[in-house]
Amino acid sequence: MAKISESTVSRLSHYYRVLEEVAAEGGKVISSQLLAEREGITSAQVRKDLSYFGSFGRRGLGYSVEHLRAQIRAILGLDRRWRVAVIGAGHIGSALLAYRGFASQGFDIVAVFDVDPARVGHPDGALSVRHVSQLSAEDAIDIGVIATPVRAAQEVADALVAAGVRGLLNFAPRKLRVPDDVWVRTVDMTTEFESLSFALSQPHGPRRRRPAG
Amino acid sequence: MAKISESTVSRLSHYYRVLEEVAAEGGKVISSQLLAEREGITSAQVRKDLSYFGSFGRRGLGYSVEHLRAQIRAILGLDRRWRVAVIGAGHIGSALLAYRGFASQGFDIVAVFDVDPARVGHPDGALSVRHVSQLSAEDAIDIGVIATPVRAAQEVADALVAAGVRGLLNFAPRKLRVPDDVWVRTVDMTTEFESLSFALSQPHGPRRRRPAG
DNA sequence: TTTTGTGAACGTGTTCACAGCG
DNA sequence: CGCTGTGAACACGTTCACAAAA
């Protein structure tokens, strides 16, 4: 398969969500135009994104909501469940644990780790917090969420990689060094705030994207 | 000024952080090469990013850490303080409130809002939770953080805009409709997880970026 | 000699525009 | 006729490569 851009994958995730909503509203078919409008992009973008993976629509009609949803679900790898570990039982870690939404999407938080003796051994939600040194390949973790202070982030990433984890979601504002076969996504709230600060400091307001065409 | 890409602004935020670290370590000058290595990008990228705003370095020598830090600080609009409101005193909202890092960067969380009677009127950290209907232009909010359930997100965005807020940080997995002069940044953890799911489902591992050159 | 600053070249993602099919 | 699927055109961000300056 040709290389797929990160933007395309992000949009697939958005399409998937829209399709779930439309299905819940009882919609049976949807055009690229309508799908695009919900996301504020162009219909050509929708069709191009989908075309990388196949031809899921019917000319003159549009896409079957159910069929397209199933296809994107398969493309995104959501037909299986993923074992997630959260490292760092602080505010962000606990917020993630408390949020129920991920399990329904196939992401099961199966372990929580920390180094703080005040936290280790105590429950956080349904899980007992384990010391990070106990993390091992036997935990069979697919995705590790790094919710530690920034100084511990690289060390934790190394430990996760050593335990065979191939996907990291990093909340620490630090570039992580990982082997080539490990994927990292970063959520950097400081950068988000600073991007807003930059934008608000400019003399002119933003230009909105062109509406879906 | 020519249009600055979002990628460039994000990287400026990263450079700023690296410069703070280098300054703390006692470094006085830094080359684009070294700055690039810390972020895993090319030195040409660093120089190009900075060149949009001026000439901050000295040929043959590099950049003064202190001077460049001050310049980027000014560029990002961090020479002033920003008034931030958090809407939604749930897990994410409370995690943000509890996190001390933002205030030191110039972002003061000055108000918390919710609609839940069980939360309104009670303190969350140093702030008392107010009902979202009390939000007004008198709060003089610069940046609104939407940490509500997804169904309330658009309504809250409308209220923020009505109160004169021109920057939104959206944690809800929903595209927000806002006027042209309002900036939105989205942190969508579901999409992050699904992007990892997609990546881990591919037959081949990732390719790392080329090292800084 | 070292390292910046930058026009030009390049590569990649987006949009256009229309052929192809239902 | 309507809407998809897609090659081509376009726009834009990144990298190259070198002149300029310390």
Side-chain angles (χ1 to χ4, degrees):
Chain A
M1 183 189 299
K3 187 177 167 297
I4 306 299
S5 75
E6 286 186 9
S7 324
T8 290
V9 177
S10 292
R11 284 191 298 265
L12 286 177
S13 170
H14 295 313
Y15 302 155
Y16 185 64
R17 200 173 297 143
V18 170
L19 290 168
E20 285 184 320
E21 290 174 9
V22 172
E25 294 162 6
K28 297 300 180 197
V29 288
I30 189 168
S31 64
S32 58
Q33 164 81 3
L34 242 54
L35 206 36
E37 275 171 10
R38 291 241 197 176
E39 285 300 316
I41 58 177
T42 68
S43 60
Q45 182 75 80
V46 173
R47 297 197 299 277
K48 184 62 106 179
D49 284 337
L50 297 176
S51 77
Y52 296 134
F53 301 96
S55 299
F56 306 128
R58 299 219 281 199
R59 296 173 194 233
L61 183 63
Y63 302 86
S64 152
V65 171
E66 228 13 84
H67 178 64
L68 186 56
R69 201 179 68 78
Q71 292 291 328
I72 296 182
R73 183 179 164 85
I75 292 165
L76 289 177
L78 301 177
D79 274 336
R80 51 161 288 183
R81 304 199 71 80
W82 297 93
R83 292 172 61 83
V84 177
V86 173
I87 295 84
H91 299 296
I92 296 177
S94 295
L96 284 167
L97 281 175
Y99 180 56
R100 301 254 174 274
F102 295 125
S104 66
Q105 298 296 326
F107 300 92
D108 299 313
I109 301 180
V110 298
V112 198
F113 297 91
D114 206 305
V115 291
D116 185 344
R119 290 177 183 151
V120 171
H122 294 81
D124 186 332
L127 295 167
S128 186
V129 178
R130 296 162 57 194
H131 193 275
V132 73
S133 62
Q134 291 180 359
L135 170 67
S136 82
E138 290 186 15
D139 290 301
I141 302 300
D142 299 302
I143 296 173
V145 179
I146 300 178
T148 66
V150 60
R151 66 180 176 283
Q154 182 62 57
E155 193 180 340
V156 164
D158 295 343
L160 285 163
V161 169
V165 178
R166 284 177 53 237
L168 303 180
L169 181 56
N170 178 31
F171 283 88
R174 159 81 90 261
K175 173 86 183 177
L176 299 178
R177 303 201 172 238
V178 296
D180 282 7
D181 61 345
V182 176
W183 291 89
V184 180
R185 303 279 306 187
T186 298
V187 173
D188 188 334
M189 283 181 268
T190 302
T191 293
E192 298 299 334
F193 272 108
E194 290 179 358
S195 294
L196 285 173
S197 169
F198 173 82
L200 296 182
S201 301
Q202 302 312 301
H204 310 296
R207 298 285 162 266
R208 200 187 302 177
R209 278 169 191 267
R210 297 184 49 203
Chain B
M1 183 191 298
K3 188 178 166 297
I4 306 300
S5 76
E6 286 187 9
S7 325
T8 290
V9 178
S10 292
R11 284 191 299 265
L12 286 176
S13 169
H14 296 312
Y15 302 156
Y16 185 65
R17 201 173 297 144
V18 170
L19 290 168
E20 285 183 319
E21 290 175 10
V22 172
E25 294 161 6
K28 297 301 181 196
V29 290
I30 190 168
S31 64
S32 58
Q33 165 81 6
L34 242 53
L35 206 36
E37 276 172 9
R38 290 240 198 176
E39 285 300 316
I41 58 177
T42 68
S43 60
Q45 181 75 79
V46 172
R47 296 197 299 278
K48 184 63 106 179
D49 285 337
L50 297 176
S51 77
Y52 297 132
F53 302 95
S55 299
F56 306 128
R58 298 218 282 199
R59 295 173 194 232
L61 184 62
Y63 301 86
S64 153
V65 171
E66 231 7 90
H67 178 63
L68 187 56
R69 201 179 67 78
Q71 292 291 328
I72 295 181
R73 183 180 165 84
I75 292 165
L76 290 177
L78 302 177
D79 275 335
R80 52 160 288 183
R81 303 199 71 80
W82 298 94
R83 291 173 61 83
V84 177
V86 172
I87 295 83
H91 299 296
I92 297 177
S94 295
L96 284 168
L97 281 174
Y99 180 57
R100 300 253 174 275
F102 296 125
S104 66
Q105 299 296 327
F107 300 92
D108 299 313
I109 301 179
V110 298
V112 198
F113 297 90
D114 207 306
V115 292
D116 185 343
R119 289 176 184 152
V120 171
H122 296 81
D124 186 332
L127 295 167
S128 186
V129 178
R130 296 161 56 195
H131 194 274
V132 74
S133 62
Q134 291 180 0
L135 170 67
S136 83
E138 290 185 16
D139 290 301
I141 302 300
D142 300 301
I143 296 173
V145 178
I146 300 178
T148 65
V150 61
R151 66 181 177 281
Q154 182 61 56
E155 193 180 342
V156 163
D158 294 343
L160 285 162
V161 169
V165 177
R166 284 177 53 237
L168 303 181
L169 181 56
N170 177 32
F171 283 88
R174 158 82 89 261
K175 173 87 183 176
L176 298 178
R177 307 203 168 236
V178 296
D180 282 7
D181 61 344
V182 175
W183 291 89
V184 179
R185 302 280 305 188
T186 298
V187 174
D188 188 333
M189 283 181 270
T190 302
T191 293
E192 298 299 334
F193 272 107
E194 291 179 357
S195 294
L196 284 173
S197 169
F198 173 83
L200 296 181
S201 301
Q202 302 312 301
H204 310 296
R207 297 287 161 265
R208 198 186 304 175
R209 278 168 190 266
R210 295 186 51 204

